[in-house]
Amino acid sequence: MAYISIRDLQKISGEAIGALPGPTPVKSGERTVGLLIPLKSTDPDRLAAVLRRAEALGRGRDAKADDAALAGFGEVDPVDWSPAAVKALTGKPGKRRKPKP
């Protein structure tokens, strides 16, 4: 499917959207008016591996030096998004998997 018409969009199911191969233009006549992007579920093991790698890379960072380097692009987000800070903010314990040997 090269595109979805605005009329077809009214009739398409969530399952059909999920089955789309990727971003799909939404057209009204010849004009593209939107982009439909199906959200796919992630593999929890792959996501856990990516998060472990990101955390390992982040351990050696100097947050103040990073903020100073980013300051030239505008205001720096002052929030501490570490797993411990997010847990304290939300009150929900994070679900961590034990690393595979």
Side-chain angles (χ1 to χ4, degrees):
M1 176 178 299
Y3 69 91
I4 295 175
S5 74
I6 200 83
R7 288 185 186 266
D8 289 339
L9 184 59
Q10 297 172 353
K11 303 171 194 167
I12 193 169
S13 70
E15 187 174 290
I17 292 170
L20 291 171
T24 304
V26 177
K27 292 195 171 220
S28 177
E30 293 298 314
R31 185 171 154 241
T32 299
V33 294
L35 188 63
L36 187 59
I37 303 172
L39 301 177
K40 308 289 183 183
S41 295
T42 187
D43 172 12
D45 292 331
R46 184 174 179 209
L47 178 59
V50 168
L51 292 175
R52 279 193 305 274
R53 182 171 181 235
E55 287 178 359
L57 290 169
R59 281 189 206 108
R61 307 284 311 179
D62 177 354
K64 290 186 191 267
D66 289 347
D67 288 349
L70 292 171
F73 295 101
E75 189 175 331
V76 175
D77 182 359
V79 179
D80 174 8
W81 293 111
S82 68
V86 171
K87 179 180 174 184
L89 179 69
T90 63
K92 297 179 183 177
K95 292 184 179 179
R96 291 207 167 224
R97 293 176 171 232
K98 292 185 179 181
K100 291 183 179 180

